[in-house]
Amino acid sequence: MTSSSSPSRKALSKIACNRLQKELAEWQLSPPAGFKHKVSDNLQRWVIEVTGAAGTLYAGETYQLQVDFPEHYPMEAPQVIFLNPAPMHPHIYSNGHICLDILYDSWSPAMTVSSVCISILSMLSSSPAKQRPVDNDRYVRNCRNGRSPKETRWWFHDDTV
Amino acid sequence: MDSPVPATLARAPARPQARAGEEACADTRQDAPAEAEPPPRRPAAFYSSVFAQIEEIGWKQLVSATGDGVSCLTFRVVDEPGRMHLLEITLPMGYPESPPSISADVPYLPKIHWSKNSRLKDVICQFQAHLKILQEFWNTMDEIDKVLWIVDPTKPSYAMSHRRIALGDDCYILLQVDARKPNSLPECRFLGTDGKLDQLIINWRKNRKKWDTKKKFHENLAAVLDFALPSPPSVGDKAKDDEQADCGICYAKHLPVDDELGAHSGCATDYMCENPSCSRAFHSVCLRDWLRSITTTRQSFDVLFGNCPYCSDPVAVKITGH
């Protein structure tokens, strides 16, 4: 499946724009290890290269995260998905949707793009096996119309991975 | 074996500053028996050699000595224009055969030339030469800070080579100056609302070849953007801004000037988490908007009750301007 179509996004509010500029400046000053922001002038969409940590199942492999910001960020969580091909992980669907609570119900404005990236790398690093989620095929079929992962009612139950 | 130490102690009382050295030596001897498994000990000659070298540099320049007494030395180094720098010199266990390592608040560190006959004063001299090389960079940054409207960082360190510059109408340019070639064309990106920004990007792409390393940085920037760059806001405003904390949600000291915000337009932070370990500041507007966006918030009359986004302690904010 090709990468998800982007949801129709309203332009960033002044507050969102200002906060993202500061996050970006901070990122450039000290980016999290293993991540590289692909430079573009689109502040509302960040594409970030993530390299698997050494000593993990994904060591040396490179994937791309797409982060889209809503109009009222950080009151609302950003939409974060892996671009195709998504890593094989029990909580990452083949369409790139990520089952991680801080991207949905547990989001807080205390988090940043940087802290979200570190959480995703941590999730990859603790993976016990390279496999898809058990309900991958059914879920991906239901998302064929380009549905956003933020519209999914996630059931977070696995704290070990 | 112990004879060199008394010799050092004998010399020490002659100078008031030397007492620090004496105390350091005493501390070392006291610490040794207290440890169950003492780390590998340095020979006594190491300490007398280091003390002699500190004396050579000048005890007044020594800011602190930590580690096993003197394995991590911090010196005050003043460059020619009078900027004060702290140079931290760490002496490895293999010193002096192994070179010391250094750290300082500079955009990049010099490569230290070292032989086993080198002295700590040589490290200081090499650092001073490095500071001389960096003067052009700092002069450029100082001029940028003086002439242009810098919104971030508000208090730049000597190591920082990036600046976010306001261009007006919510447009900004984020610059990364090359510390080795500070007058060369910087890396830059444009941030802000579209429209006016498009023209600036077009100008940058069209004109950047005209960047002249012999002209002043801000003159080059204005010429390439083909735009009159705004001056910094008055000093009074800036001094007041420095006292204000950033909001933990929108990361700004002041809310944007916006009709939608009504009476709160341009306001400073006005709420602080009551947890003394947290004390995070917020605009009540931001905190209210956040609390309204989650399902766990409770409301009683005109007050919203919830949890601090940072420490989860209870917070309460009035719904004003309903």
Side-chain angles (χ1 to χ4, degrees):
Chain A
M1 189 176 184
T2 55
S3 59
S4 305
S5 61
S6 59
S8 60
R9 289 174 295 159
K10 296 187 73 178
L12 296 170
S13 67
K14 282 189 178 183
I15 284 174
C17 197
N18 179 67
R19 165 152 167 163
L20 280 172
Q21 288 174 17
K22 293 203 171 178
E23 283 202 41
L24 181 57
E26 178 64 29
W27 178 292
Q28 295 195 339
L29 197 60
S30 53
F35 294 90
K36 186 178 178 183
H37 175 245
K38 303 186 86 171
V39 176
S40 89
D41 283 328
N42 186 354
L43 192 63
Q44 197 162 9
R45 169 171 287 181
W46 297 20
V47 178
I48 298 167
E49 254 177 31
V50 46
T51 303
T56 71
L57 293 181
Y58 307 89
E61 296 174 9
T62 299
Y63 300 95
Q64 289 191 67
L65 280 169
Q66 177 180 280
V67 186
D68 286 309
F69 298 95
E71 178 190 0
H72 295 297
Y73 178 82
M75 307 308 174
E76 287 175 51
Q79 174 187 279
V80 184
I81 62 171
F82 276 102
L83 294 175
N84 197 48
M88 298 273 288
H89 185 284
H91 298 320
I92 299 171
Y93 292 85
S94 57
N95 63 355
H97 290 194
I98 305 167
C99 181
L100 182 62
D101 60 347
I102 60 169
L103 300 179
Y104 313 109
D105 298 347
S106 296
W107 164 259
S108 153
M111 296 172 190
T112 61
V113 178
S114 197
S115 67
V116 165
C117 285
I118 290 167
S119 297
I120 289 172
L121 187 60
S122 170
M123 186 177 93
L124 282 178
S125 301
S126 56
S127 172
K130 280 185 161 179
Q131 61 195 20
R132 295 292 182 203
V134 291
D135 58 336
N136 181 75
D137 292 341
R138 180 173 54 80
Y139 177 80
V140 170
R141 200 180 315 122
N142 287 338
C143 292
R144 196 174 299 142
N145 59 2
R147 184 163 119 181
S148 164
K150 291 171 77 176
E151 296 166 43
T152 300
R153 193 181 301 270
W154 297 98
W155 178 29
F156 309 105
H157 63 280
D158 189 354
D159 291 327
T160 61
V161 181
Chain B
M1 188 68 171
D2 288 337
S3 53
V5 176
T8 304
L9 291 173
R11 277 187 296 159
R15 292 177 184 76
Q17 303 96 320
R19 293 206 182 106
E22 181 179 2
E23 288 162 3
C25 185
D27 289 344
T28 301
R29 289 190 296 178
Q30 288 168 13
D31 286 347
E35 292 173 14
E37 295 182 4
R41 295 199 54 147
R42 300 187 194 249
F46 165 80
Y47 295 102
S48 54
S49 169
V50 170
F51 291 148
Q53 294 185 65
I54 294 173
E55 196 162 326
E56 197 172 286
I57 294 165
W59 287 95
K60 282 181 181 173
Q61 282 179 253
L62 181 68
V63 173
S64 72
T66 54
D68 59 352
V70 288
S71 68
C72 184
L73 305 166
T74 303
F75 291 95
R76 182 182 300 105
V77 182
V78 182
D79 61 19
E80 282 178 1
R83 290 188 195 86
M84 203 273 287
H85 301 266
L86 294 180
L87 173 64
E88 188 178 282
I89 303 180
T90 303
L91 309 180
M93 198 52 65
Y95 172 88
E97 281 74 24
S98 301
S101 62
I102 63 170
S103 80
D105 192 25
V106 291
Y108 62 97
L109 288 169
K111 180 177 162 57
I112 296 295
H113 305 291
W114 182 264
S115 72
K116 69 178 184 179
N117 294 318
S118 297
R119 300 181 71 73
L120 296 182
K121 187 168 186 174
D122 299 322
V123 177
I124 303 274
C125 289
Q126 290 177 52
F127 183 67
Q128 281 170 330
H130 185 63
L131 293 180
K132 188 172 284 190
I133 292 169
L134 285 168
Q135 289 311 310
E136 190 185 2
F137 165 73
W138 283 319
N139 291 340
T140 301
M141 302 309 287
D142 284 352
E143 187 160 32
I144 291 171
D145 292 343
K146 189 170 64 177
V147 174
L148 302 177
W149 181 358
I150 310 298
V151 295
D152 196 39
T154 51
K155 289 174 177 170
S157 70
Y158 291 146
M160 288 180 180
S161 58
H162 77 282
R163 295 290 189 272
R164 181 158 68 100
I165 297 167
L167 305 176
D169 295 331
D170 291 316
C171 291
Y172 303 86
I173 182 170
L174 179 61
L175 296 175
Q176 189 77 32
V177 177
D178 186 342
R180 289 174 168 82
K181 290 181 276 181
N183 282 315
S184 63
L185 181 76
E187 285 179 33
C188 92
R189 61 188 307 156
F190 295 86
L191 310 165
T193 53
D194 295 333
K196 176 172 175 178
L197 209 58
D198 291 338
Q199 187 57 50
L200 291 170
I201 295 172
I202 290 169
N203 289 351
W204 178 266
R205 289 177 180 158
K206 181 175 62 177
N207 297 330
R208 62 185 174 190
K209 299 180 204 67
K210 299 178 186 174
W211 188 277
D212 183 349
T213 56
K214 296 195 178 86
K215 290 167 73 178
K216 289 181 186 292
F217 190 99
H218 62 93
E219 289 172 3
N220 271 315
L221 193 61
V224 169
L225 292 176
D226 194 16
F227 183 75
L229 300 167
S231 301
S234 64
V235 178
D237 291 345
K238 189 161 189 178
K240 186 183 173 185
D241 259 14
D242 285 348
E243 296 165 14
Q244 296 290 342
D246 284 352
C247 172
I249 292 175
C250 71
Y251 286 15
K253 292 177 171 52
H254 296 272
L255 286 168
V257 177
D258 197 330
D259 291 342
E260 285 183 19
L261 295 170
H264 292 277
S265 175
C267 273
T269 53
D270 51 357
Y271 186 93
M272 184 175 285
C273 176
E274 289 173 7
N275 180 350
S277 301
C278 179
S279 295
R280 183 68 68 154
F282 302 97
H283 301 112
S284 55
V285 167
C286 294
L287 191 54
R288 183 193 71 197
D289 284 355
W290 163 246
L291 293 178
R292 276 178 164 162
S293 73
I294 53 180
T295 57
T296 53
T297 298
R298 307 168 301 282
Q299 180 176 345
S300 177
F301 296 98
D302 63 345
V303 180
L304 293 173
F305 296 92
N307 301 96
C308 173
Y310 285 84
C311 70
S312 298
D313 263 27
V315 295
V317 60
K318 268 196 172 182
I319 308 168
T320 52
H322 201 355

